[in-house]
Amino acid sequence: MMKKVCMLLIFVSVLFFGCSNEKNLQEDPGLNKSQKIEVSSEENPELVLSVIDNQDEVSEFVNTLEVDKWRIVDTPPNSTKEYIYKMYQEDTVKLGEPNTDEKGLKQIATIITYKDSPYIELRTKKLHLYFKVPKDVAEYLSIKRTKNIDHTTISSTECYFSLMNQLVVCEE
């Protein structure tokens, strides 16, 4: 009799609470506090492809991410990492520190995208999670790096990096 009651309780629990691996993001990762975003490729993370530091553009970027629609997943399928979005905000003045106008920016989050995939990785000071994002968000993140940039100087020898076709042209 006790076994049947336990089985019934387990069944009812599964029925009410479900057993899905995908969960909504419950905690706000603080991306809306971003003041600057640097975009680089996984192939060369030290080379910054694009910088978004206009507050209107940063707000537009964060709003387009639709964080409330992200679904937590265990790990993304075997995919190749593509772009790295480093997000910065002004450092907080702590008790006892002077309040100066020149506050440095500190990195608050990193978003890593995966090539041809709706999965991303989010790293913050307290979180390191994988998410499945809506298709339009995944597409936005995979093309955002080319917005407002056609060529970027990458060295003093007049080398230009074409973001449209991933071609490096150097002239001596």
Side-chain angles (χ1 to χ4, degrees), residues 3 5 8 13 15 19 23 26 33 51 54 93 96 105 108 126-127 129 170:
K3 230 181 195 182
V5 171
L8 181 61
S13 297
L15 183 66
C19 54
K23 298 176 181 130
Q26 298 297 321
K33 298 176 184 175
V51 175
N54 174 295
V93 177
L105 293 178
I108 59 167
K126 296 180 181 182
L127 298 172
L129 298 170
C170 294

Side-chain angles (χ1 to χ4, degrees), residues 1 32 56 61 63 82 119 121 126-127 143 166 169:
M1 178 71 177
N32 58 342
D56 291 335
F61 177 87
N63 291 336
E82 189 172 29
Y119 296 95
E121 181 178 344
K126 296 180 181 182
L127 298 172
I143 63 170
Q166 301 292 321
V169 180

Side-chain angles (χ1 to χ4, degrees), residues 13-148:
S13 297
V14 169
L15 183 66
F16 284 121
F17 300 111
C19 54
S20 173
N21 284 341
E22 291 188 5
K23 298 176 181 130
N24 291 340
L25 180 61
Q26 298 297 321
E27 183 179 326
D28 178 15
L31 301 181
N32 58 342
K33 298 176 184 175
S34 298
Q35 295 172 308
K36 175 181 163 185
I37 302 166
E38 292 180 347
V39 184
S40 58
S41 73
E42 179 63 27
E43 295 168 354
N44 189 356
E46 300 305 315
L47 174 64
V48 177
L49 301 174
S50 176
V51 175
I52 305 167
D53 55 5
N54 174 295
Q55 200 53 50
D56 291 335
E57 291 179 10
V58 170
S59 295
E60 176 190 339
F61 177 87
V62 171
N63 291 336
T64 305
L65 294 179
E66 301 176 6
V67 175
D68 58 321
K69 295 182 182 176
W70 293 7
R71 304 290 177 249
I72 297 173
V73 295
D74 291 332
T75 56
N78 285 339
S79 297
T80 305
K81 291 181 180 180
E82 189 172 29
Y83 297 106
I84 301 168
Y85 291 82
K86 293 181 182 176
M87 306 176 92
Y88 298 86
Q89 84 172 49
E90 201 170 78
D91 204 5
T92 305
V93 177
K94 295 168 184 69
L95 185 63
E97 291 181 352
N99 188 5
T100 62
D101 290 338
E102 295 182 29
K103 297 178 193 106
L105 293 178
K106 71 173 188 173
Q107 187 174 341
I108 59 167
T110 301
I111 296 175
I112 300 172
T113 64
Y114 291 85
K115 190 171 187 163
D116 301 323
S117 172
Y119 296 95
I120 65 166
E121 181 178 344
L122 174 69
R123 296 179 188 170
T124 67
K125 186 176 182 180
K126 296 180 181 182
L127 298 172
H128 185 166
L129 298 170
Y130 297 95
F131 294 93
K132 183 175 183 182
V133 298
K135 184 179 179 182
D136 57 327
V137 173
E139 289 172 357
Y140 177 78
L141 287 171
S142 67
I143 63 170
K144 181 62 186 168
R145 67 186 171 84
T146 63
K147 185 177 179 184
N148 299 328

